[in-house]
Amino acid sequence: MGLESNTRQPDPDCIFCKIVKGEIPSKFLLETEDLVAFNDISPQAPTHVLIIPRQHVKDISKFSSNQEDKTLLGTLFQQAAELALKLNLESGFRLVVNTGDDGGQTVHHLHLHLIGGRQMTWPPG
Ligand code: 5GP
Ligand code: ZN
């Protein structure tokens, strides 16, 4: 089943929708038709960028197998990797998608964490 059309309307209570709309002024490191990227307010590493779709999608479980969704997800990862190289992270970086309460998601608008600039450890907390 595909996304219901109302799933992707901006949520007036969503902090990331406010950032997308410019209601919360933010410096975008990347801005395309489909997504924006900006620094995390509470960085966990020297580089900590959030890449988010402009559309309000709650989390990755709301994506389906239709072409539009596959393209959007592919674009998010492709743009994140390109941005990592622009930010001089060729020696390595981490992409994280926290999903749902047990996954540690605190902002319920899908986002990809791009984290780098230090040695990562495993397992994550
Ligand atoms: P999550 O825990 O949902 O995976 O990640 C949410 C991230 O959003 C956290 O790393 C948090 O620091 C960041 N964040 C929360 N509110 C804001 C905000 O208003 N501006 C920015 N730039 N980042 C935020
Ligand atoms: Zn949102």
Side-chain angles (χ1 to χ4, degrees):
M1 202 177 79
L3 284 166
E4 291 163 31
S5 55
N6 67 2
T7 333
R8 290 194 166 178
Q9 298 308 307
D11 177 343
D13 298 324
C14 171
I15 196 131
F16 285 178
C17 283
K18 289 181 185 169
I19 288 175
V20 167
K21 284 194 278 181
E23 289 172 13
I24 297 175
S26 308
K27 183 184 164 227
F28 291 141
L29 283 73
L30 178 70
E31 206 175 346
T32 74
E33 196 183 331
D34 301 315
L35 57 89
V36 298
F38 49 90
N39 285 316
D40 196 291
I41 203 169
S42 174
Q44 301 301 311
T47 298
H48 188 166
V49 176
L50 300 172
I51 300 116
I52 73 171
R54 287 183 183 273
Q55 297 172 5
H56 180 83
V57 187
K58 197 173 158 208
D59 64 47
I60 201 151
S61 72
K62 298 292 181 288
F63 279 82
S64 79
S65 61
N66 70 39
Q67 196 52 51
E68 189 191 344
D69 278 10
K70 285 198 275 194
T71 300
L72 181 54
L73 275 186
T75 302
L76 273 173
F77 277 86
Q78 186 273 325
Q79 291 285 315
E82 205 171 299
L83 185 57
L85 297 184
K86 273 195 204 133
L87 296 173
N88 303 313
L89 298 178
E90 45 281 294
S91 64
F93 54 88
R94 184 170 284 175
L95 297 175
V96 176
V97 184
N98 294 327
T99 305
D101 292 338
D102 279 2
Q105 185 176 11
T106 58
V107 177
H108 298 281
H109 178 135
L110 177 75
H111 49 280
L112 198 52
H113 294 259
L114 165 60
I115 304 167
R118 66 167 168 80
Q119 178 63 57
M120 298 297 150
T121 58
W122 194 264

